[in-house]
């Protein structure tokens, strides 16, 4: 086809074997779109096409990805707000006839349906990182690391130490939107045995395999692409690999503990930490010795 259909926040280029979606940049464009930049969606990844009335004199052209085709949508698990759906193209109502033309053309090219055996839409590329409420999450393509913040991490996470999880030991991720009260990103271990008993899952703030979101921490446009990239790497590299047990980082060097206590004292003197917080965090740090 080779034509371009431009709408609000994105432009779709229709090619013979795919749809190339380029997202605009600007203060009105959802941050998730800006983070994604552009995405190539192969026709084999599309299950269907719809054109429906939108709000305030608009129409919405949408392609429906096949289940399992896109790690971003799999990680989102239906939690994305409609305005942040990367498969929607919003157009002025006067362009409805043109949009219907492209919808019909696309429908005529679709030949696949049902769940895919592999991801067909590329995940965001590593390295990726973002700040959660209780730690910094980093992904280099082969392993995920959590480095805890003393200002947000629970004592359970401090005692466990900073964590590193090789992709080959993971079975997936669980992303709960930061727009919910209890948002988080949890790394799921790959079971060594299908018959093994499922252990009780600890609360997110107590689980060293989970980072917790908060106001301004772990926003959708940072944490969801991160989750999608990890999920794609798990599927690509994790199948059939041995299962290593994540090993907590060793206890911190006394000099590092002393430096953290000194910094904590400075914050306390500046009035940024209460007496209670100072005593509690100092005790937690001393417990690391």
């Amino acid at each position: 086809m080779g034509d371009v259909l431009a709408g609000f926040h994105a432009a779709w280029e229709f090619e013979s074997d795919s749809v190339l979606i380029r997202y605009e940049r600007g203060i009105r464009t959802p941050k998730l779109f800006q983070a994604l930049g552009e995405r190539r969606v192969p026709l084999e990844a599309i299950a269907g096409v719809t054109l429906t009335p939108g709000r305030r004199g608009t129409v919405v052209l949408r392609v429906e990805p096949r289940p399992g085709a896109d790690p971003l949508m799999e990680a989102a698990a239906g939690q994305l707000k409609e305005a942040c759906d990367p498969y929607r193209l919003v157009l002025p109502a006067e362009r409805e006839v043109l949009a219907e033309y492209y919808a019909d053309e696309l429908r005529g090219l679709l030949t696949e349906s049902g769940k895919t055996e592999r991801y067909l839409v590329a995940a965001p590329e590593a390295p990726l990182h973002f700040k959660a409420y209780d730690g910094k999450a980093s992904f280099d393509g082969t392993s995920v690391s959590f480095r805890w913040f003393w200002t947000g991490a629970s004592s359970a996470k401090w005692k466990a130490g900073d964590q590193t999880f090789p992709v080959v030991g993971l079975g997936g991720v669980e992303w709960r939107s930061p727009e919910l009260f209890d948002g988080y990103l949890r790394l799921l271990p790959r079971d060594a045995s299908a018959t093994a008993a499922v252990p009780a899952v600890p609360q997110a703030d107590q689980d060293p395999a989970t980072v917790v979101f908060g106001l301004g921490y772990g926003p959708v446009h940072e944490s969801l692409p991160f989750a999608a990239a990890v999920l794609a790497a798990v599927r690509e590299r994790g199948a059939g690999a041995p299962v290593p047990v994540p090993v907590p980082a060793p206890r911190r060097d006394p000099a590092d503990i002393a430096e953290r206590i000194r910094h904590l004292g400075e914050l306390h003197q500046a009035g940024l930490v209460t007496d209670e917080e100072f005593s509690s965090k100092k005790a937690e740090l001393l417990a690391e010795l």
Side-chain angles (χ1 to χ4, degrees):
M1 297 164 67
D3 296 333
V4 176
L5 182 61
F8 299 113
H9 310 316
W12 290 11
E13 183 175 348
F14 300 92
E15 302 179 345
S16 60
D17 61 350
S18 62
V19 177
L20 177 61
I21 304 176
R22 293 190 175 94
Y23 302 101
E24 295 181 355
R25 294 186 178 277
I27 59 175
R28 296 183 180 274
T29 302
K31 290 184 178 180
L32 177 60
F33 293 178
Q34 297 185 50
L36 294 176
E38 68 176 43
R39 311 192 84 206
R40 185 176 299 278
V41 184
L43 297 183
E44 62 178 325
I46 301 175
V49 186
T50 61
L51 181 65
T52 58
R55 300 177 181 177
R56 301 177 181 177
T58 63
V59 292
V60 179
L61 178 64
R62 186 180 190 276
V63 295
E64 178 69 32
R66 293 170 59 193
D70 185 354
L72 187 86
M73 301 304 286
E74 185 168 328
Q79 298 175 77
L80 281 178
K81 292 183 177 180
E82 186 178 73
C84 290
D85 183 347
Y87 288 97
R88 295 173 77 249
L89 181 65
V90 182
L91 301 142
E94 57 265 26
R95 308 193 73 185
E96 181 176 3
V97 174
L98 183 61
E100 184 62 55
Y101 165 78
Y102 284 110
D104 288 340
E105 288 290 304
L106 267 180
R107 293 187 189 106
L109 295 173
L110 303 183
T111 59
E112 305 292 338
S113 62
K115 184 176 176 61
T116 64
E117 295 182 356
R118 60 185 177 87
Y119 291 132
L120 301 173
V121 182
E125 295 183 359
L128 295 167
H129 59 84
F130 70 91
K131 288 184 178 180
Y133 174 74
D134 56 0
K136 179 180 179 180
S138 302
F139 178 52
D140 63 5
T142 60
S143 62
V144 181
S145 299
F146 293 159
R147 181 178 180 182
W148 307 120
F149 298 152
W150 69 264
T151 51
S154 65
S155 59
K157 291 182 177 180
W158 271 109
K159 290 178 181 178
D162 295 340
Q163 301 286 302
T164 297
F165 301 87
V167 165
V168 293
L170 299 177
V173 301
E174 180 184 358
W175 180 81
R176 179 164 294 188
S177 174
E179 295 171 345
L180 301 176
F181 179 73
D182 53 351
Y184 57 80
L185 172 65
R186 188 191 305 273
L187 303 178
L188 305 176
R190 188 162 61 88
D191 294 333
S193 171
T195 59
V198 178
V201 179
Q203 293 183 353
D205 64 339
Q206 302 296 314
D207 184 3
T210 305
V211 287
V212 177
F213 304 147
L215 184 62
Y217 294 93
V220 172
H221 69 280
E222 294 180 353
S223 61
L224 180 56
F226 185 102
V230 175
L231 196 58
V234 168
R235 179 172 291 191
E236 178 182 355
R237 299 185 177 90
V243 183
V245 178
V247 179
R251 291 186 178 272
R252 292 176 172 79
D253 183 87
D256 178 55
I257 296 294
E259 175 61 23
R260 288 176 179 268
I261 291 177
R262 184 192 65 78
H263 179 62
L264 179 62
E266 292 177 350
L267 294 175
H268 180 237
Q269 291 179 356
L272 299 176
V273 175
T274 66
D275 292 343
E276 182 179 352
E277 290 173 333
F278 174 74
S279 298
S280 175
K281 289 297 180 181
K282 181 178 179 181
E284 291 178 5
L285 289 170
L286 290 173
E288 296 292 321
L289 295 174

